[in-house]
Amino acid sequence: AQRVTQPEKLLSVFKGAPVELKCNYSYSGSPELFWYVQYSRQRLQLLLRHISRESIKGFTADLNKGETSFHLKKPFAQEEDSAMYYCALSGQGGGNKLVFGAGTILRVKS
Amino acid sequence: EPEVTQTPSHQVTQMGQEVILRCVPISNHLYFYWYRQILGQKVEFLVSFYNNEISEKSEIFDDQFSVERPDGSNFTLKIRSTKLEDSAMYFCASSEGGVGAFFGQGTRLTVV
């Protein structure tokens, strides 16, 4: 079964503090992992994909196949990072559906 | 930057009525999807569409639902006879394949 677990509904940190949004997955093959972000009243936006190994807006995520995790990290949170973050997976190959986690609200306090 | 656009942004309909939700995917994308999110719940996959046919559908996507690409640009989701439990945010998405999907801003469907 394909499943994505985001254990925290809400993560509240102070500006400048490190952030780690947790994501664990269950998949019986080699998945592709993604992080999506949804700012207030805006659409879901693709933030990161594991295959690119990129850093966007200071965020990084490393796929750990042993722990089946894809945690999202940022060393210094900014107030504009406050949003809903969704971890998602799909099967490899073109056009596969996304399976989403429940999402974590990140609140960055000043 | 090209975007997926959805209309309307909000639709209120009476139970039992038919609704059509419209989407214009990004023009060079090949794969199209509908997802929904019931308030307070996860984003759930409904259906994917490729090469003018359904490539995968979920258990939610029963005979009440249908999708169509009536011309070269639009992609529609029809719900034939709406139920109260169809109330949700419906998201259209498109992708080139394998690189993550790009989402529209959603249509909030309220069935009364």
Side-chain angles (χ1 to χ4, degrees):
Chain A
Q2 301 174 12
R3 188 179 299 123
V4 177
T5 304
Q6 293 180 251
E8 302 138 328
K9 282 194 171 179
L10 172 66
L11 183 64
S12 191
V13 301
F14 282 103
K15 179 177 150 184
V19 171
E20 184 178 51
L21 299 169
K22 291 186 168 38
C23 172
N24 289 89
Y25 67 89
S26 171
Y27 188 74
S28 59
S30 292
E32 294 189 10
L33 274 296
F34 306 89
W35 276 98
Y36 280 82
V37 60
Q38 188 173 34
Y39 300 103
S40 180
R41 302 182 194 281
Q42 295 187 28
R43 68 186 66 211
L44 281 161
Q45 298 175 35
L46 179 60
L47 180 64
L48 282 179
R49 45 187 192 245
H50 91 268
I51 201 166
S52 305
R53 302 186 63 80
E54 57 204 341
S55 172
I56 304 290
K57 299 184 180 182
F59 286 98
T60 58
D62 289 317
L63 179 61
N64 185 323
K65 292 184 180 180
E67 296 183 359
T68 59
S69 69
F70 188 57
H71 303 326
L72 184 67
K73 299 178 184 179
K74 185 169 182 176
F76 308 104
Q78 298 171 303
E79 288 180 74
E80 55 264 34
D81 296 329
S82 295
M84 175 72 98
Y85 290 80
Y86 293 97
C87 183
L89 70 76
S90 75
Q92 287 192 346
N96 289 301
K97 68 183 181 193
L98 289 163
V99 175
F100 283 87
T104 298
I105 298 169
L106 174 64
R107 195 165 290 153
V108 182
K109 301 177 286 189
S110 57
Chain B
E1 188 177 319
E3 289 184 333
V4 176
T5 57
Q6 290 185 243
T7 54
S9 56
H10 191 191
Q11 172 117 26
V12 181
T13 189
Q14 295 223 324
M15 195 167 52
Q17 295 297 302
E18 174 183 287
V19 294
I20 297 176
L21 309 183
R22 301 179 195 281
C23 169
V24 179
I26 294 172
S27 62
N28 62 334
H29 284 184
L30 303 175
Y31 300 88
F32 314 115
Y33 313 84
W34 284 100
Y35 292 81
R36 80 171 185 190
Q37 186 175 31
I38 294 170
L39 189 63
Q41 298 186 23
K42 289 185 181 185
V43 177
E44 302 173 288
F45 168 76
L46 292 178
V47 65
S48 58
F49 194 85
Y50 171 71
N51 203 24
N52 284 319
E53 59 183 26
I54 290 173
S55 46
E56 187 176 356
K57 59 183 180 179
S58 71
E59 292 174 354
I60 304 166
F61 195 88
D62 60 21
D63 293 343
Q64 293 268 75
F65 292 88
S66 62
V67 288
E68 199 175 37
R69 188 154 161 81
D71 53 42
S73 58
N74 291 285
F75 180 51
T76 61
L77 174 70
K78 184 194 291 186
I79 309 175
R80 270 188 206 87
S81 177
T82 50
K83 299 180 272 215
L84 293 175
E85 54 265 38
D86 293 328
S87 295
M89 183 72 94
Y90 288 80
F91 295 105
C92 175
S94 69
S95 81
E96 295 173 283
V99 293
F102 293 84
F103 283 77
Q105 76 276 30
T107 294
R108 181 170 298 285
L109 177 66
T110 304
V111 183
V112 296

